[in-house]
Amino acid sequence: MTKEAKKPFRQSVAEWRQFVYNPDSGEFLGRTAKSWGLILLFYLVFYGFLAALFTFTMWVMLQTLSSDIPKYRDRISSPGLMISPKPDTALEFYFNKSDANSYAQYVSTLKKFLESYDDSKQSENINCTPGKVFDQNDVADKKACRFNLSELGQCSGKEDKTFGYSKGTPCVLVKMNRIIGLKPEGEPYIQCTSKEQGMVEINYFPPGGSIDLMYFPYYGKSLHAHYLQPLVAVQLAINSNSTNEEIAIECKILGSPNLKNEDDRDKFLGRIAFKVQMTE
Amino acid sequence: MKKEMDVDDHKLELPDLEAKYSTSITKGLVGAVAAERLLRDGPNELRPPRGTPECVKFGRQLAGGLQCLMWVAAAICLIAYGVQEGQGDRGSADNLYLAIALIAVVVVTGCFGYYQEFKSTNIIASFKNLVPQQATVIREGDKLQINANELVVGDLVEIKGGDRVPADIRIISAQGCKVDNSSLTGESEPQTRSPECTHDSPLETRNIAFFSTMCLEAGPHPDTQASPAGTATGLVINTGDRTIIGRIASLASGVENEKTPIAIEIEHFVDIIAGLAIFFGATFFVVAMVIGYPFLRAMVFFMAIVVAYVPEGLLATVTVCLSLTAKRLARKNCVVKNLEAVETLGSTSVICSDKTGTLTQNRMTVAHLWFDNQIHTADTTEDQSGQSFDQSSETWTLLSRVVTLCNRAQFKAGQENIPVAKREVIGDASETALLKFAEVTVGTVSEARGRFPKVAELPFNSTNKFQLSVHAAGDRQLLVLKGAPERVLERCSTVMIKGQELPLDAQWREAFEGAYADLGGRGERVLGFCARWLPAGTVAAGTDPEALPEVAVGLCFAGLVAMIDPPRATVPRAVLKCRTAGIRVIMVTGDHPITAKAIAAAVGIISEGSETPEDVAARLRVPLEQVDPRQARARVVTGAELAGMEPGVLEGILRAHPEMVFARTSPQQKLVIVESCQRLGAIVAVTGDGVNDSPALKRADIGVAMGIAGSDAAKNAADMILLDDNFASIVTGVEQGRLIFDNLKKSIAYTLTKNIPELTPYLIYITASVPLPLGCITILFIELCTDIFPSVSLAYERAESDIMHLKPRNPRRDRLVNEPLAAYSYFQIGAIQSFAGFTDYFVAMAQEGWWPLLCLGLRPRWEDTHEQELQDSYGQQWTFEQRRYQQYTCYTVFFISIEMCQIADVLIRKTRRLSLLQQGLFRNHILVIAIVFQVSIGCFLCYCPGMPNIFNFMPIRFQWWFVPMPFGLLILIYDEIRKLGVRRHPGSWWDRELYY
């Protein structure tokens, strides 16, 4: 006993058309032009006010911020590790030591990366006292410490323009993320291990993979414009019988109690894992 | 379906009847035939209306408007999840969680609603009377006692006073048999049953007694001369569902239940939500495509936006609010079967009320007396708290003596300590009324009867229309007689006025006629009383009763007593309240028009000074046809008139006369009346107790059955049950219904508001490519955890104005969710909240090293899982995980911002028109507790260890709690300005656009 039958389709279409534009009352979508005008004006004023308020709060907030040092560093108490070159896909190096094209990308990335470490770029940098944190809190003009490319030895790209890739001893640069004010304790150094024993021999430049404390702390990009991160080059001398095999390597930062390297979730906090596979 | 019953058995002669049912009216059926017929027709009982299977009931809980919206949303989520999985997108499990949460919400609220209904159904079920009924049947000449459900057509049955009629029977012989048809017709007057066919209509004729009506107990028979009264023999003509009552009951189950107004409102609201969701989704789909997202990605955005528009918490809020009110109503004796019916009463604009038992006390009571040429008013209140009349006259002494003695009713034993009004009596309704009246006004009746022992008696019969008895009174005898006033007067020669016996001359006759007409015109049943002193021994004990009338001449007229089933004390006030609340009360009864009109006038359904067309005609002394219907506010329409009406005429009458009484109506006509009201756009509540009311109860927008007097059929058909049978409880229901409508509006407005600050982060995320400010799990926490309690607490809000002085809402105009409500919540308060959230978000980002301008367009790199050295504005480098925790920090900050603004929101939603200060900021304690609860949950989520990795909440810096507070304050101030404008300038542009 339905009270009224369903409205025929035609009628509901007509109702819709009536709603979209009603020629009798001049209503468009249920409102006349004047009504639309008024309501749009209202919302214009309303949102204008809100936007102004928002802009003003943002402005006030930015005024309270220092352009040198972030207010808080709650999420970055400990730095992540990263390597260069960084393969596009996952951290997996695939190259053929006899095919220059297969590693051209890595080489050019390294070259480009090391450009900023070139002596010519470091003219303003000073030689700091090794082994000591270089505190410049009281100095307005923060100096950057010089990082000599020669410390990277065979991985500096000076002698071997292919960074060892052509010889089966590829170089990977390990660096620590910049965090303002971070002062590592102890004597931090990078240590890389391969899961599989005997497949690869690992050399570090500077020796022992040490990261000198004199490059810390970092004072932020505006105060510390010429700052250069200390680098550790890891040279992987792949055994000739291990070519064509995938070698998993994990690098960690050790020797510093305040640099985390065992976080459950963050696989890049104080450590990094990558794979190398070399063919002939 | 609406055609009247077609039974012609009452017109058949007995031999024809015997032939028709191949039975014997002396010996009854043969056992074997009876068994065969039982097998053929099934047991003689009403098949209980096929109860909706429990799984269907539960299914219905899962298929409402909002529920469907959520099902669709869940399906979209699953599709989006599938698409993202197919793309190998990480972190897309959010959509799966969302789908699970949506389904869980529907199922949990469904269980909750089902449980609520289950509980109230249980309350109702407890009324059921499970005692099997016995019937006396004659089969093969032997009298047997069998279960009534074994009766078959053609059975010869005997009924006696106190029995329930076991089937529809054609009376073959009867002695003083009276039945109470009130459960069928609503008429409480006992009706004589005799073998003669007196009317064409089977419902009116005397020779049919209907299934489930009561055969009344006659008075006791102190002397055996009187024929055994109150017995009848009859032939079963219909059994089980084919009986009149069975057909009415099945009529009810054939009537479809109307959608409740709140269900319609929610559907309308779902339409709005769905429309907006698709509009927004489509807009941003286009935007995403223009920006250059791949199609599938844009599709996922589209789906996410549509889903974000679904107010997940609303379903729970509405269900809880309704059940809170249902609970509140249950405490006030209204049990609601269907949660949504809670609100229906509030929208009700017409109440079609049954008379007997609902408006009246359902017991005959002496209302007026006429003696000494004066009408005296007796006390008709239920608890005898009213005024009594002057009892000093000697005429009263005589009258009261006649009333006391000429009465065969008596109290059942052992009731001395029960108030008179509540004592049980053996005897018919009039005699009971007189007995109780005598007991209350004169004193112990049994004692008086003991002083004047009965010598002889002639019981009432329909030929004489009087009853008389002779009592010994020391050295004299007292003859007392009562009966139909005109018959009584015939036997009188004198009349007693102030203790003096005066000759009954024309002047007194005229006075008598006047009083009789007056009382009769009030719808009262009038009896005349007279007496005469006789010398001792005039009537010897054991005189043949038939000889007594000869003695009863030249009597002295004592007075008239008029009885009525009086209205309940609370009803006139309740009717008046309905009237002030703009609700029209229409009386629909099976009773006589005069009685109906009298009661209608007494309770205020016909207000003082209102006239029916008949009254107008009488006043102007013109024929009825010449009366302008507009002159008469009131109108009494009988079932017979109704039957002759063209379709559409009834609507005209309902429109023309605001005060309507329908008398002598059949169940079908009740249905027609309800439908006519509904066609006029009214939301109709029907109250009733009898089986005859059940179709109308079912048809009504809300059927209200009586818990005590109500039949099971009525209770089954009803949506609401009044446990105390009190019409006044309906008014409470109306008030609560209106309040919950207002408060639901507030709850919904509150719940909808936060949809925008939940949606905008995503929109900005898509268009401006900022790191996602608010996550899906966080949204679910807002919707289903922190904000539920505050939105429910609005159900405890007091009414803003006297809602019982407003007209019922117009279901076409006053929507639950209207355009201003949606616009104000979404585009104004929601917008402010969004700005609050984004302010806090950018503050948190900037203070951690990500300046606003850097954030714009950052998303691709920010979300790149290979990017472990992303530089912030200060040159620091972040790993992906570090950025993720920063993102969670943003979620939390945005969450807190919404919470802070929602505190302001719940405060402003307390009122729609009044200032907060007028309403009292802290008067709703539940709301205050809810706010405390909300903040505590917020703190817990933020600062409980382990939260970051489980629910993506981070312990945020304390000062980020304060960033959104100015926006909260802005909301409060802005809303106060809005309300001020609405109050100051009613009808203005501001009022039209901003009052919801």
Side-chain angles (χ1 to χ4, degrees), chain A residues 1-3 29-31 34-35 38-40 42-43 46-47 49-51 53-54 57-58 61-62 64-83 86-91 113 175-181 218-222 229 263 265-269 272, chain B residues 1-2 254-256 258 671 675 678-679 699 701 819 823-824 826-829 831-832 835 838-840 842-843 846-849 851-852 864-886 889 949 954-957 959-960 967 970 974 989-990 993-994:
Chain A
M1 225 190 304
T2 39
K3 224 166 31 171
L29 292 176
R31 284 176 184 274
K34 188 182 164 216
S35 169
L38 272 174
I39 198 79
L40 290 179
F42 173 81
Y43 276 106
F46 186 81
Y47 287 128
F49 171 74
L50 279 183
L53 185 69
F54 177 73
T57 9
M58 284 292 107
M61 187 266 294
L62 289 176
T64 65
L65 289 181
S66 147
S67 57
D68 306 329
I69 297 176
K71 197 151 184 158
Y72 309 119
R73 272 148 293 167
D74 298 328
R75 308 287 155 247
I76 40 174
S77 53
S78 193
L81 279 197
M82 202 51 215
I83 52 168
K86 193 179 94 177
D88 284 342
T89 51
L91 294 171
F113 182 75
K175 61 196 169 69
M176 210 166 76
N177 280 351
R178 290 191 294 266
I179 291 174
I180 293 173
Y218 172 52
Y219 284 99
K221 73 177 179 192
S222 65
Q229 281 161 284
D263 195 81
R265 287 167 196 281
D266 196 343
K267 301 285 187 239
F268 293 88
L269 207 60
I272 186 166
Chain B
M1 182 178 293
K2 285 179 204 152
V255 176
E256 259 178 54
E258 285 290 288
L671 203 56
E675 284 174 357
Q678 286 175 333
R679 264 197 292 279
R699 177 70 209 180
D701 295 286
E819 201 186 314
Y824 184 67
Y826 277 151
F827 302 130
Q828 296 177 35
I829 302 301
I832 299 177
F835 275 103
F838 275 104
T839 307
D840 212 1
F842 282 121
V843 167
Q847 294 191 338
E848 291 286 1
W851 287 28
D864 183 355
T865 49
H866 301 305
E867 179 62 273
Q868 302 294 346
E869 44 181 357
L870 189 66
Q871 278 200 29
D872 65 14
S873 306
Y874 295 91
Q876 309 183 93
Q877 294 167 307
W878 296 56
T879 65
F880 178 76
E881 284 297 309
Q882 287 167 337
R883 295 199 301 275
R884 203 157 62 90
Y885 285 116
Q886 176 58 27
T889 307
N949 295 320
M954 294 293 286
I956 58 163
R957 293 221 166 233
Q959 53 268 45
W960 293 333
F967 287 90
L970 176 68
Y974 174 58
W989 178 87
W990 185 267
E993 297 289 350
L994 294 179

Side-chain angles (χ1 to χ4, degrees), chain B residues 77-286:
Chain B
C77 280
L78 286 175
I79 295 171
Y81 173 69
V83 170
Q84 282 178 317
E85 273 298 280
Q87 287 182 316
D89 200 338
R90 232 197 97 187
S92 59
D94 273 5
N95 269 322
L96 185 65
Y97 296 149
L98 194 52
I100 293 170
L102 286 169
I103 293 169
V105 169
V106 176
V107 172
V108 168
T109 47
C111 291
F112 183 76
Y114 176 75
Y115 171 71
Q116 287 291 329
E117 288 191 8
F118 179 77
K119 255 197 339 197
S120 45
T121 317
N122 268 4
I123 298 175
I124 292 148
S126 65
F127 285 110
K128 277 189 181 151
N129 177 13
L130 296 168
V131 184
Q133 199 192 332
Q134 294 280 312
T136 310
V137 64
I138 298 165
R139 283 186 186 163
E140 302 176 49
D142 296 329
K143 217 181 255 187
L144 307 167
Q145 281 281 336
I146 62 168
N147 276 341
N149 60 8
E150 289 167 22
L151 283 182
V152 295
V153 168
D155 258 333
L156 197 59
V157 291
E158 272 187 7
I159 52 170
K160 59 177 192 306
D163 281 351
R164 200 166 272 274
V165 179
D168 279 1
I169 57 176
R170 156 77 198 263
I171 304 288
I172 295 168
S173 66
Q175 283 89 36
C177 175
K178 282 185 175 179
V179 290
D180 174 5
N181 270 357
S182 62
S183 75
L184 198 62
T185 59
E187 187 180 1
S188 55
E189 182 109 347
Q191 291 172 347
T192 310
R193 282 293 169 259
S194 58
E196 309 88 37
C197 173
T198 54
H199 202 284
D200 267 354
S201 159
L203 284 170
E204 302 274 344
T205 182
R206 276 194 185 165
N207 60 353
I208 291 187
F210 297 108
F211 185 30
S212 93
T213 57
M214 284 298 284
C215 180
L216 292 175
E217 278 179 76
H221 323 294
D223 31 34
T224 46
Q225 295 100 323
S227 57
T231 63
T233 315
L235 201 63
V236 175
I237 52 171
N238 274 317
T239 59
D241 285 338
R242 288 166 302 281
T243 56
I244 299 282
I245 211 139
R247 280 191 245 182
I248 295 172
S250 62
L251 187 66
S253 58
V255 176
E256 259 178 54
N257 239 336
E258 285 290 288
K259 255 189 204 146
T260 58
I262 196 80
I264 294 171
E265 287 306 317
I266 286 176
E267 267 177 30
H268 171 248
F269 157 66
V270 166
D271 285 350
I272 293 183
I273 297 274
L276 274 175
I278 290 170
F279 170 73
F280 266 83
T283 311
F284 279 85
F285 175 77
V286 174

Side-chain angles (χ1 to χ4, degrees), chain B residues 610-671:
Chain B
S610 293
E611 290 176 310
T612 61
E614 290 81 5
D615 293 335
V616 177
R619 179 165 54 83
L620 301 177
R621 294 174 201 282
V622 292
L624 190 55
E625 295 78 39
Q626 292 177 13
V627 174
D628 179 1
R630 275 168 300 183
Q631 278 184 294
R633 277 180 62 78
R635 171 108 191 234
V636 180
V637 176
T638 62
E641 289 175 67
L642 211 52
M645 272 178 201
E646 301 285 321
V649 174
L650 180 57
E651 275 97 325
I653 293 178
L654 280 168
R655 222 181 270 133
H657 307 280
E659 295 168 359
M660 295 288 304
V661 171
F662 292 93
R664 279 248 163 279
T665 49
S666 69
Q668 286 87 346
Q669 287 171 331
K670 286 193 182 186
L671 203 56

Side-chain angles (χ1 to χ4, degrees), chain A residues 108-266:
Chain A
S108 68
T109 311
L110 276 173
K111 256 189 197 145
K112 200 158 177 241
F113 182 75
L114 288 178
E115 264 172 23
S116 54
Y117 286 83
D118 199 79
D119 286 343
S120 60
K121 297 270 171 69
Q122 296 205 45
S123 55
E124 281 181 37
N125 293 3
I126 58 166
N127 291 320
C128 306
T129 328
K132 246 186 81 185
V133 169
F134 183 38
D135 219 322
Q136 309 175 71
N137 283 350
D138 307 328
V139 190
D141 183 23
K142 320 278 187 202
K143 294 286 183 197
C145 290
R146 175 164 296 153
F147 186 89
N148 253 331
L149 265 187
S150 58
E151 291 197 42
L152 297 180
Q154 292 171 26
C155 291
S156 65
K158 293 232 161 91
E159 296 112 57
D160 184 351
K161 299 286 182 202
T162 64
F163 296 89
Y165 281 84
S166 59
K167 294 181 189 141
T169 55
C171 282
V172 173
L173 297 175
V174 179
K175 61 196 169 69
M176 210 166 76
N177 280 351
R178 290 191 294 266
I179 291 174
I180 293 173
L182 177 77
K183 295 177 193 167
E185 293 160 8
E187 292 181 349
Y189 64 95
I190 300 286
Q191 190 185 56
C192 299
T193 48
S194 157
K195 267 187 199 152
E196 296 82 4
Q197 292 290 315
M199 290 170 111
V200 66
E201 195 183 310
I202 301 171
N203 294 317
Y204 304 94
F205 305 97
S210 70
I211 294 173
D212 205 298
L213 292 184
M214 68 182 176
Y215 299 104
F216 301 98
Y218 172 52
Y219 284 99
K221 73 177 179 192
S222 65
L223 290 179
H224 221 164
H226 299 286
Y227 178 82
L228 289 171
Q229 281 161 284
L231 304 172
V232 171
V234 179
Q235 189 170 38
L236 309 165
I238 299 167
N239 286 350
S240 49
N241 52 1
S242 298
T243 42
N244 299 332
E245 286 198 47
E246 202 177 66
I247 306 163
I249 291 168
E250 192 186 38
C251 295
K252 276 188 180 177
I253 188 148
L254 295 172
S256 177
N258 68 339
L259 301 182
K260 287 186 209 153
N261 57 12
E262 290 289 346
D263 195 81
D264 286 343
R265 287 167 196 281
D266 196 343

Side-chain angles (χ1 to χ4, degrees), chain B residues 545-724:
Chain B
E546 300 302 323
L548 286 175
E550 287 166 31
V551 192
V553 287
L555 306 177
C556 172
F557 189 80
L560 295 171
V561 174
M563 286 161 292
I564 198 163
D565 177 12
R568 286 163 178 274
T570 49
V571 169
R573 254 174 64 91
V575 171
L576 186 69
K577 267 192 163 177
C578 286
R579 205 181 276 269
T580 51
I583 300 169
R584 190 170 171 195
V585 183
I586 293 176
M587 181 193 278
V588 182
T589 176
D591 214 337
H592 290 282
I594 295 174
T595 319
K597 187 182 164 194
I599 294 293
V603 299
I605 289 176
I606 295 178
S607 54
E608 230 177 294
S610 293
E611 290 176 310
T612 61
E614 290 81 5
D615 293 335
V616 177
R619 179 165 54 83
L620 301 177
R621 294 174 201 282
V622 292
L624 190 55
E625 295 78 39
Q626 292 177 13
V627 174
D628 179 1
R630 275 168 300 183
Q631 278 184 294
R633 277 180 62 78
R635 171 108 191 234
V636 180
V637 176
T638 62
E641 289 175 67
L642 211 52
M645 272 178 201
E646 301 285 321
V649 174
L650 180 57
E651 275 97 325
I653 293 178
L654 280 168
R655 222 181 270 133
H657 307 280
E659 295 168 359
M660 295 288 304
V661 171
F662 292 93
R664 279 248 163 279
T665 49
S666 69
Q668 286 87 346
Q669 287 171 331
K670 286 193 182 186
L671 203 56
V672 170
I673 293 165
V674 171
E675 284 174 357
S676 299
C677 292
Q678 286 175 333
R679 264 197 292 279
L680 291 178
I683 293 188
V684 184
V686 169
T687 71
D689 51 2
V691 179
N692 59 328
D693 298 320
S694 56
L697 284 172
K698 194 98 184 253
R699 177 70 209 180
D701 295 286
I702 178 165
V704 183
M706 300 297 141
I708 304 168
S711 57
D712 285 348
K715 284 179 201 157
N716 271 326
D719 305 296
M720 187 182 266
I721 290 173
L722 300 182
L723 294 184
D724 56 357

